[in-house]
Amino acid sequence: MKQWALLKPGWQKVILYLVVLCVTVFLAAVLQWFVMRQFSSQLTEIQNEQLQHEVQELSASITERYGVWQAELKELSSSLGRDMLNEGKRQFPEEFKRDTGSFYVLDEQYRVLAGRNNRQMKSAVQQIKWLQNGCAVSPSVTEDHKPAQFIVCRIQGAQTGGFMVRTVDADMLSEIIKSKPVNQHEVLFYNNQFKVVASRNTSDINRTDITNITRKMLEGNTGVIEDNGERYGIGFSRIGEEALYISVEDVSQEIAQRISSFRKQLWTVMALVLIMLWVMFVQFRRRIVKDTLVNNQIRDRRRDEDLRQQQDTYYLPLMQTVEQRLQELQEQTARLTGGDDLKLLGFYHDLANCFEASSSQGKGASHKELEYFRELNENFIQGRLRQESSLGELLTGVRTLRDILEEMMHDNSGIRFTDMNEVLSESLKWANRSLNMKNIQVILRQEPVPSIAAQAQMLYKTIQGLLENAVQAMNKGEDQVENKERSRTGIRSKRQSQVLKVSSRLEEGEILIIIEDTGGGIDDKKRWSYFQPDYSQSSQEHTFSLYHMDEYLKTIGGRLKLRNTDQGLQAIVSLRR
């Protein structure tokens, strides 16, 4: 605070604005981070819900589509498949083709009776030998460098046993993905061999992807996972004993664009808000400064009124009394000059002339007596002239003193703005010149304090009186210690250094002047007596007694406190700012 008070007002203003600006920007950044985090979390939740919903829809579509294909194959096997198995012809009628994919009719030895010869199809059908009645789905195989799967239904009612098979190729599965109107997601179907079996892009078909995503997906995990900053929705659709795994990735930049757009809008709004807050802060500070100035003016006005009241209460009666006494002194001085006393001038000279005239006639005094009267007359005249000159000078001095007192009386009774730190420094210099400061260590601590309206001479006498009391107490204490040591040892001991602490401190609404010594303190039983007008602990020629100090401080709204410490006395002078 001391260093801050020493700065110029312009620098204080700049530093205050910079601090407020930095704090405001920091709070705005924290608020922006918090809002963006909440907004990103909400968008992430929405994205997760969209991905999960997409996976669920695709899983339902796969199950539904496989159900339709299986029902259709079962219907065909009970009619057309049975006829072809009974006839044993290796042909494929045109009306037999219902949808994409290929159809086959096999006998019990897995020989193809209808459809082209396909080894992958035979091996796939052999894997489901457990099939008794109904239909089943075989594991995925690679047919013509493309993944394929077979739906197998046992033909019922034929003369010999057999199977009707339908191929589910990548195109059929890709149609499930393409039927979805949403294009912002990249959808891939995988088999249990990490191969892509369906995609919007033909180039992705039969690609092997062994990644963290596919590993977790083939382990049976579902939900939304994140890998390398990308979010994937994963799931599967179980088809009999087999499963088709689903991966949905949001490849669009809509989330990032929305976050970036929202961030720009947020910064724009916050910039406008910050500008408004800054304008309000500047206006508020101006208002505070204006209110402070007005309050200072009101305080100064009240202080002037208090000074006038103090002048009317304390100083004017004193000045009127002094004026009355000066007027009486002037009148008495005027009566001592001129008047009937001037008739004595020349009396002895006239008397000597009469004696001389009588002597010439032989009747008067002798010549020696005449000279004596003339000398006596001359001495009287010179003495009277000197008296008149002294009285004139005295009268001039009285008139000058009267003019000075009148000027002081009309100028707030000599009240001036006095710097208390200067009073302390000058009083310590006076103490070093006038008092016995030997073996006394002085510690002076001063804070910047404002000037106060008071009579500087009275303040000097008050502070000097406290310093004189402290020095006398410490010197007296040292003499007592020396006498005790001398009576015990007979040898004069070395005098110990005493400490005098003088400090000024600024408190709320008042200025504190603290003078602390190590002189042993005062007797608490006599504390009341120290402030009586007829009691003085020590003789003070140039300073006030404690009674007059307290009385004077009360006239300017101050007070004096005495407090004993461990080693001495602490005098606290509190002055109103």
Side-chain angles (χ1 to χ4, degrees):
M1 293 300 295
K2 182 177 180 180
Q3 296 177 352
W4 173 261
L6 295 177
L7 292 176
K8 295 182 179 179
W11 283 108
Q12 292 181 357
K13 183 178 179 180
V14 171
I15 293 174
L16 178 62
Y17 281 165
L18 289 177
V19 170
V20 173
L21 180 61
C22 292
V23 172
T24 305
V25 173
F26 174 75
L27 293 177
V30 172
L31 179 61
Q32 188 266 349
W33 173 82
F34 178 76
V35 173
M36 290 303 303
R37 183 179 180 182
Q38 295 296 322
F39 182 72
S40 300
S41 300
Q42 292 181 359
L43 289 182
T44 302
E45 292 178 0
I46 294 173
Q47 184 184 22
N48 294 343
E49 291 177 357
Q50 290 178 352
L51 292 176
Q52 290 179 353
H53 181 70
E54 182 102 5
V55 171
Q56 292 173 0
E57 284 189 347
L58 288 171
S59 178
S61 298
I62 291 172
T63 303
E64 180 184 1
R65 190 64 59 91
Y66 268 89
V68 171
W69 290 339
Q70 189 171 343
E72 184 181 11
L73 182 61
K74 187 175 183 180
E75 180 183 355
L76 289 175
S77 66
S78 62
S79 57
L80 185 60
R82 183 186 58 185
D83 296 340
M84 295 184 67
L85 185 62
N86 290 333
E87 293 177 3
K89 298 180 180 180
R90 294 177 56 83
Q91 59 182 356
F92 199 105
E94 293 296 332
E95 65 270 16
F96 191 62
K97 188 175 183 180
R98 300 292 183 91
D99 204 345
T100 58
S102 302
F103 289 84
Y104 302 88
V105 177
L106 281 70
D107 59 11
E108 288 286 345
Q109 287 75 31
Y110 307 109
R111 291 178 298 182
V112 178
L113 301 180
R116 62 186 180 84
N117 193 8
N118 191 324
R119 294 181 180 180
Q120 286 83 4
M121 179 266 299
K122 291 181 180 180
S123 62
V125 173
Q126 288 177 358
Q127 296 178 16
I128 53 174
K129 292 180 180 180
W130 52 267
L131 180 64
Q132 298 297 326
N133 294 312
C135 301
V137 180
S138 69
S140 296
V141 296
T142 301
E143 183 181 15
D144 297 332
H145 305 290
K146 289 186 179 181
Q149 203 173 19
F150 301 101
I151 301 177
V152 181
C153 289
R154 184 176 290 276
I155 298 175
Q156 304 290 335
Q159 298 176 359
T160 60
F163 305 94
M164 191 166 187
V165 182
R166 179 175 190 171
T167 303
V168 179
D169 54 18
D171 293 334
M172 296 173 63
L173 295 176
S174 298
E175 286 297 327
I176 300 175
I177 300 175
K178 295 177 181 179
S179 64
K180 294 293 180 181
V182 180
N183 295 323
Q184 64 182 5
H185 295 159
E186 181 181 11
V187 181
L188 297 176
F189 292 166
Y190 290 87
N191 61 12
N192 56 3
Q193 300 175 357
F194 297 94
K195 288 185 177 182
V196 179
V197 297
S199 174
R200 292 182 185 273
N201 300 322
T202 307
S203 59
D204 295 334
I205 304 299
N206 207 35
R207 185 184 68 200
T208 301
D209 292 339
I210 303 177
T211 62
N212 295 329
I213 304 300
T214 56
R215 288 193 185 96
K216 293 182 179 180
M217 185 169 53
L218 266 65
E219 289 174 357
N221 296 314
T222 59
V224 178
I225 59 176
E226 185 175 355
D227 185 54
N228 295 328
E230 301 293 336
R231 308 187 72 83
Y232 297 85
I234 60 174
F236 63 90
S237 178
R238 185 165 295 281
I239 306 166
E241 296 296 326
E242 302 298 324
L244 197 62
Y245 300 95
I246 305 169
S247 171
V248 181
E249 178 187 2
D250 191 356
V251 295
S252 66
Q253 299 296 325
E254 181 182 359
I255 301 297
Q257 292 175 358
R258 291 179 64 181
I259 293 176
S260 177
S261 176
F262 181 75
R263 182 181 287 108
K264 293 179 181 179
Q265 295 176 1
L266 181 61
W267 274 117
T268 302
V269 173
M270 291 184 66
L272 294 176
V273 173
L274 289 177
I275 292 174
M276 295 176 61
L277 290 176
W278 185 259
V279 172
M280 292 174 61
F281 169 74
V282 174
Q283 295 296 330
F284 181 70
R285 186 183 180 279
R286 290 180 178 177
R287 181 65 181 177
I288 290 178
V289 172
K290 185 177 180 180
D291 292 343
T292 303
L293 293 176
V294 172
N295 292 334
N296 290 337
Q297 293 176 357
I298 295 174
R299 185 184 63 186
D300 294 340
R301 191 179 301 113
R302 290 178 178 175
R303 182 174 58 186
D304 293 340
E305 293 176 356
D306 293 341
L307 291 176
R308 293 190 186 95
Q309 184 178 2
Q310 293 174 10
Q311 176 181 343
D312 296 338
T313 305
Y314 301 104
Y315 298 111
L316 285 181
L318 175 62
M319 299 306 295
Q320 291 173 357
T321 303
V322 173
E323 171 69 16
Q324 182 179 0
R325 296 298 176 84
L326 288 176
Q327 186 68 28
E328 294 177 356
L329 180 59
Q330 184 176 356
E331 293 176 357
Q332 293 176 2
T333 306
R335 286 197 299 268
L336 292 176
T337 60
D340 296 336
D341 293 340
L342 294 179
K343 296 179 180 180
L344 294 175
L345 293 176
F347 169 74
Y348 295 107
H349 186 270
D350 295 338
L351 184 60
N353 290 334
C354 292
F355 283 149
E356 184 179 3
S358 299
S359 177
S360 60
Q361 298 176 2
K363 300 179 181 180
S366 63
H367 179 73
K368 186 177 181 179
E369 292 177 339
L370 293 176
E371 291 297 328
Y372 170 76
F373 280 111
R374 287 191 177 94
E375 183 180 359
L376 183 62
N377 181 63
E378 185 66 24
N379 292 334
F380 177 80
I381 292 173
Q382 296 299 326
R384 190 61 183 179
L385 291 176
R386 286 194 299 270
Q387 181 183 4
E388 288 290 334
S389 177
S390 299
L391 289 175
E393 294 176 358
L394 177 60
L395 181 60
T396 303
V398 170
R399 290 174 178 174
T400 303
L401 179 60
R402 182 174 180 273
D403 295 337
I404 294 174
L405 291 176
E406 286 182 355
E407 181 181 358
M408 294 177 64
M409 183 178 64
H410 293 292
D411 189 18
N412 291 330
S413 299
I415 294 176
R416 298 287 188 273
F417 282 98
T418 306
D419 186 359
M420 288 307 301
N421 286 333
E422 183 179 355
V423 172
L424 290 179
S425 300
E426 295 298 325
S427 297
L428 286 174
K429 293 179 181 179
W430 169 85
N432 289 325
R433 293 192 307 266
S434 305
L435 303 176
N436 182 15
M437 300 289 289
K438 187 178 180 181
N439 295 325
I440 296 179
Q441 180 184 359
V442 179
I443 299 177
L444 177 61
R445 295 178 181 176
Q446 294 178 327
E447 291 183 3
V449 296
S451 300
I452 62 172
Q455 292 176 320
Q457 183 179 4
M458 308 290 279
L459 288 175
Y460 274 103
K461 287 187 176 182
T462 301
I463 301 301
Q464 290 172 4
L466 295 175
L467 291 175
E468 185 175 357
N469 288 337
V471 172
Q472 290 179 357
M474 287 187 289
N475 290 333
K476 183 178 179 181
E478 285 184 352
D479 293 337
Q480 293 176 355
V481 172
E482 287 179 2
N483 292 332
K484 290 181 181 180
E485 293 294 332
R486 187 182 303 173
S487 63
R488 291 177 182 177
T489 62
I491 302 174
R492 184 173 182 179
S493 62
K494 185 178 179 180
R495 301 182 68 180
Q496 297 181 354
S497 177
Q498 301 285 350
V499 179
L500 176 63
K501 297 180 181 180
V502 181
S503 62
S504 62
R505 191 168 69 236
L506 181 61
E507 298 289 344
E508 185 177 359
E510 62 182 1
I511 301 170
L512 296 182
I513 306 299
I514 303 174
I515 299 175
E516 183 177 352
D517 61 63
T518 56
I522 61 176
D523 188 0
D524 289 332
K525 296 180 180 179
K526 296 182 179 180
R527 184 186 298 269
W528 180 80
S529 301
Y530 295 152
F531 294 91
Q532 299 305 310
D534 56 348
Y535 183 88
S536 179
Q537 188 178 9
S538 60
S539 59
Q540 296 174 320
E541 300 177 358
H542 307 287
T543 59
F544 282 162
S545 64
L546 291 176
Y547 168 77
H548 291 95
M549 293 179 194
D550 187 60
E551 289 296 319
Y552 169 69
L553 291 175
K554 289 179 180 178
T555 61
I556 58 175
R559 62 183 184 273
L560 173 63
K561 292 183 180 179
L562 300 180
R563 181 182 302 166
N564 282 325
T565 61
D566 295 336
Q567 298 179 350
L569 181 68
Q570 186 182 69
I572 303 175
V573 177
S574 60
L575 300 171
R576 187 175 58 183
R577 295 177 57 181

